[in-house]
Amino acid sequence: MEIEFFGAAREVTGSCHIVRTGGKTILLDCGLFQGKRKESEEKNLRLPVPVDEIDAIVLSHAHMDHAGRLPYLTAKGYDKTIWCTSATRDLAAIMLADSAHIQEMDAKFLSKRNREAVQPLYDGDDARRAVEQMIGVPYKKAVDVLPGVSATFTDAGHILGSASVVLEAREGGSSTRLVFSGDVGRWGLAIIRDPQPPERADAVIMESTYGNRDHESIDGARDKLAKAVTETAARGGRLLIPAFSVGRTQEIVYGLHALALADRIPKIPIYIDSPLATDATAIFEAHPEVYDRNEDLVRTSNQLFRFDLVRYTRDVEESKKLNTMNGPMVIIAASGMAEGGRILHHLLHGASDPRNTILVVGFMAEHTLGRRIVERAPFLRIFGEEVPLRAQVEIINGYSAHADRTELQRWLGAVKGTSPSLERVFLVHGEPDAQDALAGQLGEHGYKASCPTPGTKVQL
Ligand SMILES: [Zn+2]
Ligand SMILES: [Zn+2]
């Protein structure tokens, strides 16, 4: 078996690893490169291998940095199977449609600005075709993705449907087991099951996003959420929460549900102002078979994301109406880093009012509006306007969906515990600082950890 590293090599985005075995080629993920515009545009146009050489694709989860280039492959003629879990397939259907829409809008904007036709990376039809090529399979069930090569998904504990992958190639009398972590989540998240580290690996490709830090505990997050709602309501203000539509939004809604049932927050309306979040919530509801049933609420309620305070707003008029309404309320809207989406309108109207609170529940990358909020900048620039930031800013760090360095070590330790000869670990999906720190830490624990650059080939 040969692995060639292509994307998410010495960086976080663009997850894509090429596996060759028995004369066949399999891709693990094919995600979008994100970040600096020009650079990622060029990277996104580059195919990992010619499309007619790809025999199968195995997808770890629906996030765009893992699945976001699949429609580009179908646009280029890839017509074979994409293997994933059923929940990943359903989430990918809405997320790829949304991504195609963004690609088309971007192309339109650039065409106008540059006065020449700019083609989108892919369109809605390509996205639909990619989803049609997906086959959803259950966790823990080995399926032959090619003759002599099987894939088994185990819970990665990261987002709904997320998986780690065991790729087993049988040649002659022997077999090689490659484990790909996907994005490793965390133990103790609500709704999402704990990571299930796969067994018996000969080598591991592991993510390293937080390879150099530890998170705040998950336990304090709900208390902080309750405090933010209660204090904002007491001031008669609005609680504005920028959140990714898939995952974080459902997690917050579920948390608010639990708090409302326990009478720990006042009865104020909660608006989920995002069509994508509304669709994503329906998909969460369609896959109770993958829920973690540790919490009472998950065991006893079949309406986790719907209760009397919550309203989902889909159309633009409804969304605009929120700005003319009085009284305290909670508004959850995308995008997660406040770089676009409806949250911008709410910030434009609400950031200057000291009664309001902006609640940060996710990572805010450098150079985003979200980061300006975290840094409590005196002014925010929104739609070309300078808006003074007078609202309170509260930050909850406990909501990460990624394992920290201690949790990654725990995950890998569990894989090693069942593997007689595991030494080689290839770190992917991390900034160089995080990767180098984790490689050092793993080295001290007896692993041979490396951080392959794009184009590196290794033989197993
Ligand atoms: Zn992810
Ligand atoms: Zn990722």
Side-chain angles (χ1 to χ4, degrees):
M1 185 187 281
E2 178 191 81
I3 314 168
E4 181 180 341
F5 295 90
F6 179 84
R10 298 301 269 166
E11 65 179 317
V12 173
T13 65
S15 178
C16 184
H17 318 298
I18 305 159
V19 178
R20 298 186 178 90
T21 177
K24 302 281 185 187
T25 300
I26 300 159
L27 290 192
L28 293 170
D29 289 351
C30 195
L32 275 175
F33 291 94
Q34 294 153 327
K36 289 200 194 100
R37 192 182 182 110
K38 189 102 190 83
E39 195 185 316
S40 26
E41 264 173 20
E42 280 164 19
K43 283 177 166 173
N44 280 328
L45 287 168
R46 228 172 342 121
L47 290 169
V49 287
V51 160
D52 56 2
E53 285 177 23
I54 309 170
D55 297 293
I57 299 176
V58 180
L59 172 64
S60 66
H61 65 293
H63 275 152
M64 283 305 101
D65 61 317
H66 297 259
R69 288 217 299 159
L70 294 169
Y72 183 56
L73 297 184
T74 56
K76 293 286 173 195
Y78 180 72
D79 60 359
K80 300 185 189 113
T81 303
I82 299 164
W83 301 89
C84 57
T85 68
S86 304
T88 292
R89 183 185 194 276
D90 289 352
L91 278 183
I94 57 164
M95 292 172 80
L96 289 175
D98 186 62
S99 173
H101 180 66
I102 293 168
Q103 305 285 346
E104 288 175 272
M105 298 298 280
D106 271 3
K108 223 185 220 168
F109 171 79
L110 290 175
S111 302
K112 217 173 181 179
R113 199 190 63 183
N114 303 354
R115 293 169 197 275
E116 59 172 16
V118 175
Q119 291 302 315
L121 188 62
Y122 51 81
D123 62 21
D125 288 336
D126 302 322
R128 263 188 296 282
R129 242 176 302 128
V131 175
E132 279 165 17
Q133 286 163 237
M134 291 180 185
I135 295 184
V137 295
Y139 287 107
K140 293 186 191 165
K141 189 173 169 21
V143 287
D144 278 343
V145 297
L146 290 171
V149 185
S150 70
T152 311
F153 295 106
T154 69
D155 265 292
H158 170 63
I159 62 161
L160 192 83
S162 66
S164 300
V165 182
V166 184
L167 211 57
E168 177 161 11
R170 301 176 294 275
E171 275 179 288
S174 69
S175 74
T176 307
R177 280 169 72 92
L178 171 66
V179 162
F180 170 42
S181 69
D183 284 359
V184 181
R186 304 177 69 193
W187 282 262
L189 292 179
I191 311 165
I192 303 297
R193 282 201 297 245
D194 289 350
Q196 279 281 322
E199 297 179 354
R200 288 180 292 113
D202 294 309
V204 173
I205 302 175
M206 186 170 82
E207 70 122 319
S208 53
T209 321
Y210 290 109
N212 57 352
R213 56 174 270 199
D214 286 319
H215 295 314
E216 250 173 53
S217 89
I218 293 166
D219 303 335
R222 203 169 287 167
D223 295 336
K224 284 189 180 173
L225 182 61
K227 190 163 171 273
V229 179
T230 308
E231 290 181 356
T232 310
R235 290 194 301 268
R238 292 170 176 224
L239 181 64
L240 306 177
I241 311 180
F244 288 109
S245 304
V246 180
R248 190 57 40 85
T249 292
Q250 288 75 27
E251 206 178 349
I252 301 288
V253 173
Y254 170 82
L256 290 169
H257 189 180
L259 290 169
L261 283 178
D263 264 330
R264 292 184 57 201
I265 50 170
K267 291 188 168 40
I268 61 173
I270 299 165
Y271 294 95
I272 316 306
D273 188 22
S274 157
L276 183 60
T278 308
D279 288 344
T281 301
I283 291 166
F284 268 70
E285 290 170 334
H287 288 283
E289 79 282 1
V290 299
Y291 290 175
D292 188 326
R293 300 192 175 274
N294 267 341
E295 287 201 24
D296 282 346
L297 181 53
V298 183
R299 277 197 300 272
T300 54
S301 164
N302 52 10
Q303 292 286 3
L304 293 184
F305 311 101
R306 286 172 215 277
F307 53 107
D308 53 359
L309 303 177
V310 168
R311 322 244 183 293
Y312 289 83
T313 57
R314 201 178 267 278
D315 63 66
V316 180
E317 287 314 307
E318 262 181 297
S319 170
K320 282 185 182 157
K321 234 186 259 167
L322 296 179
N323 289 317
T324 60
M325 287 162 61
N326 291 317
M329 63 180 76
V330 178
I331 299 176
I332 305 173
S335 72
M337 298 195 197
E339 276 297 273
R342 292 184 180 176
I343 194 66
L344 288 183
H345 295 275
H346 300 301
L347 290 170
L348 180 69
H349 287 92
S352 59
D353 187 337
R355 291 175 300 171
N356 296 344
T357 303
I358 304 170
L359 180 63
V360 173
V361 293
F363 176 71
M364 299 295 185
E366 255 179 276
H367 312 301
T368 61
L369 186 70
R371 178 62 77 92
R372 298 266 300 158
I373 294 169
V374 168
E375 290 167 351
R376 296 176 171 83
F379 289 92
L380 303 177
R381 178 163 279 277
I382 305 170
F383 298 127
E385 274 182 51
E386 296 253 305
V387 183
L389 175 56
R390 295 201 198 97
Q392 316 293 314
V393 176
E394 299 292 340
I395 297 164
I396 304 180
N397 283 323
Y399 275 116
S400 178
H402 276 279
D404 61 21
R405 63 181 164 195
T406 306
E407 290 160 328
L408 286 171
Q409 180 93 45
R410 171 179 176 183
W411 183 89
L412 186 60
V415 179
K416 187 172 168 61
T418 60
S419 311
S421 63
L422 174 63
E423 280 193 322
R424 295 173 86 184
V425 180
F426 306 104
L427 297 181
V428 296
H429 200 289
E431 299 292 345
D433 285 355
Q435 293 205 305
D436 296 341
L438 187 61
Q441 179 186 318
L442 295 180
E444 285 165 21
H445 287 81
Y447 297 97
K448 287 187 179 142
S450 61
C451 310
T453 50
T456 303
K457 292 181 182 176
V458 296
Q459 307 293 331
L460 298 184

